[in-house]
Amino acid sequence: MSCVAVSLLTSSLSLCVSASRDSLYRCDSPVWLRSPSVSPCIAATPRLVVLTSQAKKNYQIHLTATIDCIIFLLRLGLAFRDNDETDDSVNQENFLELLNFLAQYNEEIDHAFKNARGNLKLRAPSIQKDIVRAAASETTKAIVNDLGDELFAVLVDEARDISIKEQMSICLRYVNKEGQVREHFLGLVHISNTNALSLKLALESLLETYNLSLSRVCGQGYDGASNMQGEFNGLKTLILEENSYAFYVHCFAHQLQLAFVTIAKKQVEIALLFNLLTNLCNVVGVSCKRRDMLRDSQMTKTIEALQSREISSGRGLNQEIALKRAGDTRWGSHYGTILRLISLFPSMVNVLEYVEKDENNSEQRAEACHLLNVIQSFEFIFNLHLMKNILEVTNELSQALQRNDQHIVNAMALVKVSKQRLQTIRDDGWPLLLDEVSLFCDKHNITIQKMDDIFMSQGRSRCKAQKISNLHHFQIEIFYQVVDR
């Protein structure tokens, strides 16, 4: 928040808090002043108190310290309160602990706190909420002032909070007077109905609060839900009916992730690959003992590799890693899972061999035996390295598309370059991939399939199965199909 915004916040809060609901300066305060000429009946009537200059100064110091602590917690997104904020509590949580910390190292603040009147409620939760609302108001005002009279795009998404209330979050994207692209959160709107018309009314209501209108919208950005981007009754269509220049753009990084998830589900071999990765995470990560075994095994192999100079040492290299679970909604997580499995492969084999031999649970021993047979097969290693090479291209594209300063022309160029790289993999990548897989299999004592041999399909009747070569299966049915998708 800028210095101007902070000064505006402080001045507005001084007025707001001083007129708080409990009448901070009323005569029922312990320090209220009573004139000797006033009769007892009149004296019993509540009156405003004339404060000394020192009392006003102490109040200002107390208020400023409170605002500083609140702004600090807001900037870091930390919680304010906890269940026990009593004076004898070991941990009064962030807000009160931070205030006490300031008082310990600032005599002026400490003096103001100790001389505060008993009914001064600047620490009360209600006052904290008032200050937070004022901070939100000043922040939003600064955003609207930075926007000025320029056009803007709206970014809208829906999300449930912890109380299971449907909310719509609204962000603005615009170019400010200095030519800088800005994205700022504008507000949350509670919605009881998620149809397109209700969403449009809620969006208009929030924009009108800040003297903004749909006529200034030059872009829309939503997810792929039907109530958002539907061609007939979606929010996109309703806004376009009022403003034909409010062009809709579906998030490119989101589209990329959706395309990948489709591949992972519709290509049987790839779907099986990621199911196996999930099972590996479950078996190896189910207990602290197995995690420790994986960590110790990897450390031993890293030391051996350093001694044999297979890898180099240096700052930031050879860090401790663990197997990462992939998720459809976590962009780039599939690529991270594959990279870590390739790096931890020999250690994973050691842990699974231990579970197969020494585990008491027969089901887990059977699961470990099955995983050992599968992950030490040529087909698994082939699919693993194929997806690594493809996701290396798409992950770089995803990272670039998620940059805040990215614009549509450059994004289209990045997509074009990535498609060219994928085409290069399709045209020239087969021999390179086969060499990479063969080297990995040699290193870890895995049998390499001869491409001229007949492919032996598992889980299918050999009488009904079509006789094809390994080359046809791996190159045509997997390699080309996955790259084409």
Side-chain angles (χ1 to χ4, degrees), residues 378-431:
F378 179 84
E379 185 162 4
F380 177 83
I381 302 301
F382 178 86
N383 294 331
L384 190 69
H385 283 80
L386 171 61
M387 292 310 300
K388 177 185 76 70
N389 293 345
I390 292 177
L391 292 182
E392 183 178 3
V393 176
T394 60
N395 188 67
E396 292 177 6
L397 175 61
S398 178
Q399 296 296 325
L401 292 175
Q402 292 178 56
R403 291 176 53 185
N404 286 337
D405 59 350
Q406 196 63 264
H407 56 80
I408 187 69
V409 177
N410 194 41
M412 294 296 295
L414 289 171
V415 172
K416 183 178 180 180
V417 170
S418 297
K419 291 173 71 175
Q420 291 173 348
R421 292 178 63 186
L422 289 174
Q423 186 63 42
T424 302
I425 290 177
R426 191 187 194 282
D427 296 338
D428 307 320
W430 168 254

Short mmCIF file of all heavy atoms in Angstrom, two decimals, residues 378-431:
data_model
loop_
_atom_site.label_atom_id
_atom_site.label_comp_id
_atom_site.label_asym_id
_atom_site.label_seq_id
_atom_site.Cartn_x
_atom_site.Cartn_y
_atom_site.Cartn_z
N PHE A 378 10.07 -53.02 -19.85
CA PHE A 378 10.47 -52.10 -20.92
C PHE A 378 9.33 -51.15 -21.27
O PHE A 378 9.56 -49.96 -21.51
CB PHE A 378 10.89 -52.91 -22.15
CG PHE A 378 11.30 -52.05 -23.31
CD1 PHE A 378 12.60 -51.56 -23.41
CD2 PHE A 378 10.39 -51.72 -24.32
CE1 PHE A 378 12.98 -50.76 -24.48
CE2 PHE A 378 10.77 -50.94 -25.39
CZ PHE A 378 12.07 -50.45 -25.47
N GLU A 379 8.10 -51.64 -21.31
CA GLU A 379 6.97 -50.80 -21.71
C GLU A 379 6.75 -49.65 -20.73
O GLU A 379 6.47 -48.52 -21.13
CB GLU A 379 5.69 -51.64 -21.82
CG GLU A 379 4.50 -50.84 -22.34
CD GLU A 379 3.39 -51.73 -22.87
OE1 GLU A 379 3.51 -52.96 -22.75
OE2 GLU A 379 2.41 -51.18 -23.40
N PHE A 380 6.87 -49.92 -19.43
CA PHE A 380 6.71 -48.86 -18.43
C PHE A 380 7.79 -47.79 -18.60
O PHE A 380 7.49 -46.58 -18.57
CB PHE A 380 6.77 -49.45 -17.02
CG PHE A 380 6.68 -48.42 -15.93
CD1 PHE A 380 5.44 -47.96 -15.50
CD2 PHE A 380 7.82 -47.90 -15.33
CE1 PHE A 380 5.35 -47.00 -14.49
CE2 PHE A 380 7.74 -46.96 -14.32
CZ PHE A 380 6.50 -46.51 -13.90
N ILE A 381 9.03 -48.20 -18.78
CA ILE A 381 10.13 -47.25 -18.94
C ILE A 381 9.95 -46.44 -20.23
O ILE A 381 10.22 -45.24 -20.27
CB ILE A 381 11.48 -47.99 -18.93
CG1 ILE A 381 11.66 -48.78 -17.63
CG2 ILE A 381 12.62 -47.01 -19.12
CD1 ILE A 381 11.59 -47.92 -16.38
N PHE A 382 9.47 -47.10 -21.28
CA PHE A 382 9.24 -46.41 -22.54
C PHE A 382 8.18 -45.31 -22.37
O PHE A 382 8.39 -44.17 -22.79
CB PHE A 382 8.80 -47.42 -23.60
CG PHE A 382 8.48 -46.80 -24.93
CD1 PHE A 382 9.48 -46.58 -25.87
CD2 PHE A 382 7.18 -46.43 -25.25
CE1 PHE A 382 9.18 -46.00 -27.10
CE2 PHE A 382 6.87 -45.85 -26.47
CZ PHE A 382 7.89 -45.63 -27.39
N ASN A 383 7.04 -45.67 -21.78
CA ASN A 383 5.97 -44.68 -21.57
C ASN A 383 6.41 -43.55 -20.65
O ASN A 383 6.04 -42.39 -20.84
CB ASN A 383 4.73 -45.36 -21.00
CG ASN A 383 4.10 -46.32 -21.97
OD1 ASN A 383 4.20 -46.15 -23.19
ND2 ASN A 383 3.44 -47.36 -21.45
N LEU A 384 7.21 -43.89 -19.65
CA LEU A 384 7.70 -42.89 -18.70
C LEU A 384 8.56 -41.84 -19.41
O LEU A 384 8.36 -40.62 -19.22
CB LEU A 384 8.51 -43.59 -17.60
CG LEU A 384 8.92 -42.76 -16.39
CD1 LEU A 384 7.71 -42.40 -15.55
CD2 LEU A 384 9.94 -43.52 -15.54
N HIS A 385 9.49 -42.27 -20.23
CA HIS A 385 10.38 -41.33 -20.92
C HIS A 385 9.67 -40.61 -22.07
O HIS A 385 10.00 -39.45 -22.37
CB HIS A 385 11.62 -42.07 -21.44
CG HIS A 385 12.62 -42.38 -20.38
ND1 HIS A 385 12.48 -43.43 -19.52
CD2 HIS A 385 13.77 -41.75 -20.03
CE1 HIS A 385 13.51 -43.46 -18.69
NE2 HIS A 385 14.30 -42.45 -18.97
N LEU A 386 8.69 -41.27 -22.69
CA LEU A 386 7.92 -40.59 -23.72
C LEU A 386 7.17 -39.40 -23.14
O LEU A 386 7.22 -38.29 -23.69
CB LEU A 386 6.92 -41.58 -24.35
CG LEU A 386 5.87 -40.97 -25.30
CD1 LEU A 386 6.53 -40.29 -26.49
CD2 LEU A 386 4.88 -42.03 -25.75
N MET A 387 6.50 -39.60 -22.01
CA MET A 387 5.75 -38.50 -21.39
C MET A 387 6.69 -37.44 -20.82
O MET A 387 6.36 -36.26 -20.81
CB MET A 387 4.84 -39.04 -20.28
CG MET A 387 3.69 -39.91 -20.80
SD MET A 387 2.77 -39.14 -22.16
CE MET A 387 2.18 -37.65 -21.37
N LYS A 388 7.88 -37.85 -20.39
CA LYS A 388 8.85 -36.86 -19.92
C LYS A 388 9.23 -35.90 -21.04
O LYS A 388 9.26 -34.67 -20.85
CB LYS A 388 10.10 -37.54 -19.37
CG LYS A 388 11.20 -36.56 -18.93
CD LYS A 388 12.45 -37.28 -18.51
CE LYS A 388 13.25 -37.78 -19.71
NZ LYS A 388 13.87 -36.68 -20.47
N ASN A 389 9.49 -36.44 -22.22
CA ASN A 389 9.91 -35.60 -23.35
C ASN A 389 8.77 -34.69 -23.83
O ASN A 389 9.00 -33.53 -24.18
CB ASN A 389 10.38 -36.48 -24.50
CG ASN A 389 11.66 -37.22 -24.17
OD1 ASN A 389 12.35 -36.89 -23.20
ND2 ASN A 389 11.99 -38.25 -24.94
N ILE A 390 7.55 -35.21 -23.82
CA ILE A 390 6.41 -34.40 -24.25
C ILE A 390 6.09 -33.32 -23.22
O ILE A 390 5.88 -32.15 -23.56
CB ILE A 390 5.18 -35.29 -24.51
CG1 ILE A 390 5.43 -36.17 -25.73
CG2 ILE A 390 3.93 -34.44 -24.71
CD1 ILE A 390 4.31 -37.14 -26.03
N LEU A 391 6.05 -33.71 -21.96
CA LEU A 391 5.71 -32.75 -20.91
C LEU A 391 6.80 -31.71 -20.70
O LEU A 391 6.53 -30.64 -20.16
CB LEU A 391 5.42 -33.48 -19.60
CG LEU A 391 4.16 -34.35 -19.59
CD1 LEU A 391 3.97 -34.98 -18.23
CD2 LEU A 391 2.94 -33.54 -19.97
N GLU A 392 8.01 -32.01 -21.12
CA GLU A 392 9.07 -30.99 -21.05
C GLU A 392 8.70 -29.79 -21.93
O GLU A 392 8.94 -28.64 -21.55
CB GLU A 392 10.40 -31.59 -21.50
CG GLU A 392 11.57 -30.63 -21.39
CD GLU A 392 12.88 -31.28 -21.79
OE1 GLU A 392 12.86 -32.46 -22.21
OE2 GLU A 392 13.92 -30.61 -21.71
N VAL A 393 8.11 -30.07 -23.07
CA VAL A 393 7.67 -29.01 -23.98
C VAL A 393 6.45 -28.29 -23.41
O VAL A 393 6.40 -27.06 -23.33
CB VAL A 393 7.35 -29.57 -25.38
CG1 VAL A 393 6.79 -28.48 -26.29
CG2 VAL A 393 8.58 -30.20 -25.99
N THR A 394 5.44 -29.05 -23.01
CA THR A 394 4.20 -28.44 -22.54
C THR A 394 4.37 -27.73 -21.20
O THR A 394 3.69 -26.73 -20.93
CB THR A 394 3.09 -29.50 -22.42
OG1 THR A 394 3.50 -30.52 -21.48
CG2 THR A 394 2.82 -30.14 -23.76
N ASN A 395 5.29 -28.22 -20.34
CA ASN A 395 5.50 -27.56 -19.06
C ASN A 395 6.13 -26.19 -19.23
O ASN A 395 5.76 -25.22 -18.56
CB ASN A 395 6.38 -28.44 -18.15
CG ASN A 395 6.48 -27.91 -16.75
OD1 ASN A 395 5.51 -27.88 -16.01
ND2 ASN A 395 7.67 -27.46 -16.37
N GLU A 396 7.10 -26.08 -20.15
CA GLU A 396 7.69 -24.78 -20.44
C GLU A 396 6.64 -23.82 -20.98
O GLU A 396 6.62 -22.64 -20.62
CB GLU A 396 8.84 -24.93 -21.44
CG GLU A 396 10.05 -25.67 -20.89
CD GLU A 396 11.14 -25.86 -21.93
OE1 GLU A 396 10.98 -25.31 -23.05
OE2 GLU A 396 12.12 -26.55 -21.64
N LEU A 397 5.75 -24.32 -21.84
CA LEU A 397 4.68 -23.49 -22.37
C LEU A 397 3.73 -23.06 -21.26
O LEU A 397 3.32 -21.89 -21.19
CB LEU A 397 3.91 -24.26 -23.44
CG LEU A 397 2.68 -23.59 -24.03
CD1 LEU A 397 3.05 -22.28 -24.72
CD2 LEU A 397 1.97 -24.52 -25.01
N SER A 398 3.38 -23.98 -20.36
CA SER A 398 2.47 -23.66 -19.27
C SER A 398 3.04 -22.58 -18.36
O SER A 398 2.34 -21.65 -17.96
CB SER A 398 2.16 -24.93 -18.46
OG SER A 398 1.30 -24.64 -17.37
N GLN A 399 4.33 -22.70 -18.03
CA GLN A 399 4.97 -21.69 -17.18
C GLN A 399 4.96 -20.32 -17.85
O GLN A 399 4.73 -19.30 -17.20
CB GLN A 399 6.42 -22.12 -16.87
CG GLN A 399 6.55 -23.38 -16.05
CD GLN A 399 5.95 -23.23 -14.65
OE1 GLN A 399 6.02 -22.17 -14.05
NE2 GLN A 399 5.36 -24.30 -14.15
N ALA A 400 5.22 -20.29 -19.16
CA ALA A 400 5.24 -19.02 -19.88
C ALA A 400 3.85 -18.41 -19.95
O ALA A 400 3.68 -17.18 -19.83
CB ALA A 400 5.80 -19.22 -21.29
N LEU A 401 2.82 -19.24 -20.14
CA LEU A 401 1.45 -18.73 -20.26
C LEU A 401 0.91 -18.19 -18.94
O LEU A 401 -0.03 -17.40 -18.94
CB LEU A 401 0.53 -19.84 -20.77
CG LEU A 401 0.75 -20.30 -22.22
CD1 LEU A 401 -0.15 -21.48 -22.54
CD2 LEU A 401 0.50 -19.16 -23.20
N GLN A 402 1.49 -18.60 -17.83
CA GLN A 402 1.00 -18.16 -16.52
C GLN A 402 1.61 -16.85 -16.06
O GLN A 402 1.25 -16.34 -15.00
CB GLN A 402 1.27 -19.24 -15.48
CG GLN A 402 0.45 -20.51 -15.67
CD GLN A 402 0.79 -21.57 -14.66
OE1 GLN A 402 0.73 -21.35 -13.45
NE2 GLN A 402 1.18 -22.75 -15.13
N ARG A 403 2.51 -16.28 -16.83
CA ARG A 403 3.11 -15.00 -16.46
C ARG A 403 2.08 -13.88 -16.54
O ARG A 403 1.30 -13.81 -17.50
CB ARG A 403 4.30 -14.68 -17.36
CG ARG A 403 5.49 -15.60 -17.15
CD ARG A 403 6.60 -15.30 -18.14
NE ARG A 403 6.97 -13.89 -18.12
CZ ARG A 403 7.85 -13.34 -18.94
NH1 ARG A 403 8.42 -14.09 -19.87
NH2 ARG A 403 8.13 -12.05 -18.87
N ASN A 404 2.10 -12.98 -15.56
CA ASN A 404 1.12 -11.90 -15.53
C ASN A 404 1.29 -10.92 -16.68
O ASN A 404 0.33 -10.29 -17.11
CB ASN A 404 1.23 -11.14 -14.20
CG ASN A 404 0.65 -11.93 -13.04
OD1 ASN A 404 -0.19 -12.80 -13.24
ND2 ASN A 404 1.09 -11.63 -11.84
N ASP A 405 2.52 -10.77 -17.16
CA ASP A 405 2.76 -9.78 -18.22
C ASP A 405 2.62 -10.38 -19.62
O ASP A 405 2.98 -9.75 -20.61
CB ASP A 405 4.16 -9.17 -18.06
CG ASP A 405 5.27 -10.22 -18.12
OD1 ASP A 405 4.95 -11.42 -18.08
OD2 ASP A 405 6.44 -9.83 -18.18
N GLN A 406 2.07 -11.60 -19.69
CA GLN A 406 1.91 -12.24 -20.99
C GLN A 406 0.76 -11.60 -21.77
O GLN A 406 -0.28 -11.28 -21.19
CB GLN A 406 1.63 -13.73 -20.79
CG GLN A 406 1.81 -14.58 -22.02
CD GLN A 406 3.25 -14.57 -22.50
OE1 GLN A 406 3.58 -13.80 -23.39
NE2 GLN A 406 4.08 -15.39 -21.89
N HIS A 407 0.91 -11.40 -23.07
CA HIS A 407 -0.18 -10.87 -23.87
C HIS A 407 -0.54 -11.86 -24.97
O HIS A 407 0.19 -12.79 -25.28
CB HIS A 407 0.18 -9.49 -24.46
CG HIS A 407 1.43 -9.48 -25.29
ND1 HIS A 407 1.47 -9.92 -26.59
CD2 HIS A 407 2.69 -9.08 -24.98
CE1 HIS A 407 2.71 -9.78 -27.06
NE2 HIS A 407 3.46 -9.28 -26.10
N ILE A 408 -1.69 -11.63 -25.61
CA ILE A 408 -2.30 -12.64 -26.47
C ILE A 408 -1.43 -12.94 -27.70
O ILE A 408 -1.34 -14.09 -28.12
CB ILE A 408 -3.71 -12.17 -26.89
CG1 ILE A 408 -4.45 -13.27 -27.66
CG2 ILE A 408 -3.66 -10.89 -27.70
CD1 ILE A 408 -4.82 -14.45 -26.83
N VAL A 409 -0.78 -11.92 -28.26
CA VAL A 409 0.03 -12.13 -29.47
C VAL A 409 1.22 -13.04 -29.15
O VAL A 409 1.50 -14.01 -29.87
CB VAL A 409 0.50 -10.79 -30.05
CG1 VAL A 409 1.40 -11.03 -31.26
CG2 VAL A 409 -0.69 -9.93 -30.44
N ASN A 410 1.88 -12.75 -28.05
CA ASN A 410 3.03 -13.58 -27.65
C ASN A 410 2.58 -14.98 -27.25
O ASN A 410 3.28 -15.97 -27.52
CB ASN A 410 3.78 -12.91 -26.49
CG ASN A 410 5.14 -13.52 -26.26
OD1 ASN A 410 5.87 -13.83 -27.19
ND2 ASN A 410 5.49 -13.71 -25.00
N ALA A 411 1.41 -15.08 -26.62
CA ALA A 411 0.90 -16.39 -26.22
C ALA A 411 0.64 -17.26 -27.44
O ALA A 411 0.97 -18.45 -27.45
CB ALA A 411 -0.38 -16.22 -25.40
N MET A 412 0.06 -16.68 -28.48
CA MET A 412 -0.18 -17.43 -29.72
C MET A 412 1.13 -17.88 -30.35
O MET A 412 1.24 -19.00 -30.87
CB MET A 412 -0.98 -16.57 -30.71
CG MET A 412 -2.40 -16.25 -30.26
SD MET A 412 -3.42 -17.71 -30.11
CE MET A 412 -3.50 -18.24 -31.81
N ALA A 413 2.13 -17.01 -30.29
CA ALA A 413 3.44 -17.38 -30.84
C ALA A 413 4.06 -18.53 -30.05
O ALA A 413 4.67 -19.44 -30.62
CB ALA A 413 4.36 -16.16 -30.83
N LEU A 414 3.90 -18.51 -28.70
CA LEU A 414 4.44 -19.58 -27.87
C LEU A 414 3.76 -20.92 -28.18
O LEU A 414 4.41 -21.96 -28.22
CB LEU A 414 4.26 -19.23 -26.39
CG LEU A 414 5.15 -18.11 -25.84
CD1 LEU A 414 4.70 -17.72 -24.45
CD2 LEU A 414 6.61 -18.55 -25.82
N VAL A 415 2.45 -20.88 -28.38
CA VAL A 415 1.72 -22.11 -28.73
C VAL A 415 2.23 -22.65 -30.06
O VAL A 415 2.43 -23.86 -30.22
CB VAL A 415 0.21 -21.83 -28.79
CG1 VAL A 415 -0.54 -23.04 -29.33
CG2 VAL A 415 -0.31 -21.46 -27.41
N LYS A 416 2.45 -21.77 -31.01
CA LYS A 416 2.94 -22.19 -32.34
C LYS A 416 4.32 -22.84 -32.23
O LYS A 416 4.58 -23.89 -32.82
CB LYS A 416 3.00 -20.98 -33.26
CG LYS A 416 3.42 -21.31 -34.68
CD LYS A 416 3.41 -20.07 -35.56
CE LYS A 416 3.83 -20.41 -36.99
NZ LYS A 416 3.82 -19.20 -37.87
N VAL A 417 5.20 -22.23 -31.43
CA VAL A 417 6.55 -22.78 -31.25
C VAL A 417 6.48 -24.15 -30.58
O VAL A 417 7.20 -25.09 -30.98
CB VAL A 417 7.41 -21.81 -30.42
CG1 VAL A 417 8.72 -22.48 -30.01
CG2 VAL A 417 7.69 -20.54 -31.20
N SER A 418 5.61 -24.30 -29.60
CA SER A 418 5.48 -25.59 -28.89
C SER A 418 4.95 -26.67 -29.82
O SER A 418 5.40 -27.82 -29.77
CB SER A 418 4.56 -25.43 -27.68
OG SER A 418 5.11 -24.52 -26.75
N LYS A 419 4.01 -26.31 -30.69
CA LYS A 419 3.49 -27.28 -31.65
C LYS A 419 4.58 -27.70 -32.64
O LYS A 419 4.66 -28.87 -33.04
CB LYS A 419 2.30 -26.69 -32.39
CG LYS A 419 1.07 -26.52 -31.50
CD LYS A 419 -0.06 -25.78 -32.22
CE LYS A 419 -0.68 -26.65 -33.29
NZ LYS A 419 -1.85 -25.98 -33.91
N GLN A 420 5.44 -26.75 -33.02
CA GLN A 420 6.56 -27.08 -33.90
C GLN A 420 7.54 -28.03 -33.20
O GLN A 420 8.07 -28.97 -33.83
CB GLN A 420 7.27 -25.81 -34.33
CG GLN A 420 6.46 -24.94 -35.29
CD GLN A 420 7.11 -23.60 -35.56
OE1 GLN A 420 8.07 -23.20 -34.88
NE2 GLN A 420 6.60 -22.88 -36.55
N ARG A 421 7.76 -27.80 -31.90
CA ARG A 421 8.66 -28.69 -31.15
C ARG A 421 8.08 -30.10 -31.04
O ARG A 421 8.80 -31.09 -31.14
CB ARG A 421 8.93 -28.11 -29.77
CG ARG A 421 9.76 -26.82 -29.77
CD ARG A 421 9.94 -26.27 -28.37
NE ARG A 421 10.68 -27.19 -27.53
CZ ARG A 421 10.87 -27.00 -26.21
NH1 ARG A 421 10.34 -25.94 -25.62
NH2 ARG A 421 11.56 -27.86 -25.52
N LEU A 422 6.76 -30.17 -30.84
CA LEU A 422 6.11 -31.48 -30.78
C LEU A 422 6.17 -32.18 -32.14
O LEU A 422 6.34 -33.40 -32.21
CB LEU A 422 4.66 -31.32 -30.33
CG LEU A 422 4.44 -30.95 -28.86
CD1 LEU A 422 2.98 -30.67 -28.58
CD2 LEU A 422 4.96 -32.04 -27.94
N GLN A 423 6.03 -31.40 -33.21
CA GLN A 423 6.14 -31.97 -34.55
C GLN A 423 7.55 -32.50 -34.80
O GLN A 423 7.74 -33.55 -35.43
CB GLN A 423 5.78 -30.92 -35.60
CG GLN A 423 5.72 -31.45 -37.03
CD GLN A 423 4.64 -32.50 -37.22
OE1 GLN A 423 3.53 -32.35 -36.70
NE2 GLN A 423 4.96 -33.57 -37.94
N THR A 424 8.55 -31.78 -34.29
CA THR A 424 9.94 -32.23 -34.41
C THR A 424 10.14 -33.55 -33.67
O THR A 424 10.84 -34.45 -34.15
CB THR A 424 10.90 -31.16 -33.87
OG1 THR A 424 10.70 -29.94 -34.58
CG2 THR A 424 12.34 -31.61 -34.00
N ILE A 425 9.53 -33.66 -32.50
CA ILE A 425 9.60 -34.93 -31.75
C ILE A 425 8.98 -36.05 -32.56
O ILE A 425 9.51 -37.16 -32.64
CB ILE A 425 8.89 -34.78 -30.38
CG1 ILE A 425 9.70 -33.85 -29.47
CG2 ILE A 425 8.71 -36.14 -29.72
CD1 ILE A 425 9.03 -33.59 -28.13
N ARG A 426 7.84 -35.77 -33.21
CA ARG A 426 7.17 -36.80 -34.00
C ARG A 426 8.00 -37.22 -35.21
O ARG A 426 8.09 -38.41 -35.54
CB ARG A 426 5.81 -36.28 -34.48
CG ARG A 426 4.93 -37.37 -35.08
CD ARG A 426 3.67 -36.77 -35.69
NE ARG A 426 2.69 -37.79 -35.96
CZ ARG A 426 2.71 -38.62 -36.99
NH1 ARG A 426 3.71 -38.56 -37.88
NH2 ARG A 426 1.76 -39.52 -37.17
N ASP A 427 8.64 -36.24 -35.85
CA ASP A 427 9.40 -36.53 -37.07
C ASP A 427 10.76 -37.16 -36.79
O ASP A 427 11.17 -38.09 -37.49
CB ASP A 427 9.59 -35.25 -37.88
CG ASP A 427 8.26 -34.68 -38.37
OD1 ASP A 427 7.28 -35.45 -38.46
OD2 ASP A 427 8.20 -33.46 -38.65
N ASP A 428 11.45 -36.64 -35.79
CA ASP A 428 12.84 -37.05 -35.57
C ASP A 428 13.11 -37.64 -34.18
O ASP A 428 14.25 -37.99 -33.86
CB ASP A 428 13.77 -35.84 -35.77
CG ASP A 428 13.55 -35.17 -37.11
OD1 ASP A 428 13.34 -35.90 -38.10
OD2 ASP A 428 13.58 -33.92 -37.16
N GLY A 429 12.09 -37.72 -33.32
CA GLY A 429 12.33 -38.09 -31.93
C GLY A 429 12.32 -39.57 -31.64
O GLY A 429 12.76 -39.97 -30.56
N TRP A 430 11.85 -40.39 -32.57
CA TRP A 430 11.75 -41.82 -32.28
C TRP A 430 13.11 -42.46 -31.99
O TRP A 430 13.26 -43.13 -30.95
CB TRP A 430 11.03 -42.54 -33.42
CG TRP A 430 11.14 -44.03 -33.34
CD1 TRP A 430 11.91 -44.86 -34.11
CD2 TRP A 430 10.50 -44.88 -32.38
NE1 TRP A 430 11.77 -46.17 -33.73
CE2 TRP A 430 10.91 -46.21 -32.66
CE3 TRP A 430 9.63 -44.66 -31.32
CZ2 TRP A 430 10.48 -47.29 -31.92
CZ3 TRP A 430 9.18 -45.75 -30.59
CH2 TRP A 430 9.61 -47.05 -30.89
N PRO A 431 14.12 -42.33 -32.84
CA PRO A 431 15.40 -42.97 -32.52
C PRO A 431 16.04 -42.42 -31.25
O PRO A 431 16.67 -43.18 -30.50
CB PRO A 431 16.27 -42.68 -33.76
CG PRO A 431 15.62 -41.52 -34.44
CD PRO A 431 14.18 -41.64 -34.15
#
